[in-house]
Amino acid sequence: LARAVEAVRAQVPALEDIEAPPVGPYSLSARIKGSADKLSVSDIDVSVGRAEQVLVKVTGGVEDAAQATGLDLRVAIEGQDLSPLIEAAGVTLPRVPAFRIAGRLTGGGGGYAVDDLTAKLGNSDLTGRVAVSLGGQRPRVEARLSAQRIDLDELLPPAAKEPAAGKGK
């Protein structure tokens, strides 16, 4: 996978900072046409990883891959153990329970949106839409989300125990 990412990165400068973590088997198919100035990718069908760790599936297309515009992708990420991706990103987080996140990513250039968002993280769930606009003086995030349940005890790290009263030095 790392070699495949290197080959694509050489053709699409916008992807030059992407690193591929070692996440397991993959399959990839797509139709690519155009030139390096405007590379169109359609019929994308990507599967990377394993469900017992992390499995990422992407289908759809990108009108202009070089400029990362015209995105219309269905994305689903699920797993039992997020630690390989967390470690590859160099981030320290508490253990993440089993999860599944899916949605339709659209946009490019000045903004992106995730519609039909569904997320299940342990006992918690979330549905809705998130949009990010990068134009203007400041980025703008707009979200309409709802949840049947959010289990903060499961999602947040345990609170540090406070010393018992009267036991100080």
Side-chain angles (χ1 to χ4, degrees), residues 92-115:
T92 303
L93 293 175
R95 170 129 176 32
V96 176
F99 63 94
R100 175 160 172 58
I101 303 166
R104 180 177 176 216
L105 174 63
T106 57
Y112 301 89
V114 178
D115 290 293

Side-chain angles (χ1 to χ4, degrees), residues 26-103:
Y26 72 97
S27 68
L28 174 127
S29 66
R31 294 187 184 275
I32 301 172
K33 67 179 183 179
S35 66
D37 295 334
K38 185 169 184 200
L39 194 63
S40 171
V41 185
S42 63
D43 301 325
I44 295 171
D45 189 354
V46 176
S47 177
V48 179
R50 296 180 182 95
E52 59 271 10
Q53 287 183 328
V54 177
L55 175 62
V56 178
K57 292 185 175 186
V58 179
T59 59
V62 180
E63 281 182 29
D64 187 344
Q67 299 299 316
T69 60
L71 274 73
D72 190 355
L73 302 168
R74 288 263 175 209
V75 179
I77 305 168
E78 66 179 283
Q80 302 298 313
D81 183 7
L82 196 55
S83 58
L85 288 180
I86 292 172
E87 290 170 11
V91 177
T92 303
L93 293 175
R95 170 129 176 32
V96 176
F99 63 94
R100 175 160 172 58
I101 303 166

Side-chain angles (χ1 to χ4, degrees), residues 110-111 131-142:
V132 177
S133 175
L134 303 174
Q137 289 182 325
R138 296 184 203 153
R140 178 185 164 130
V141 176
E142 184 179 321

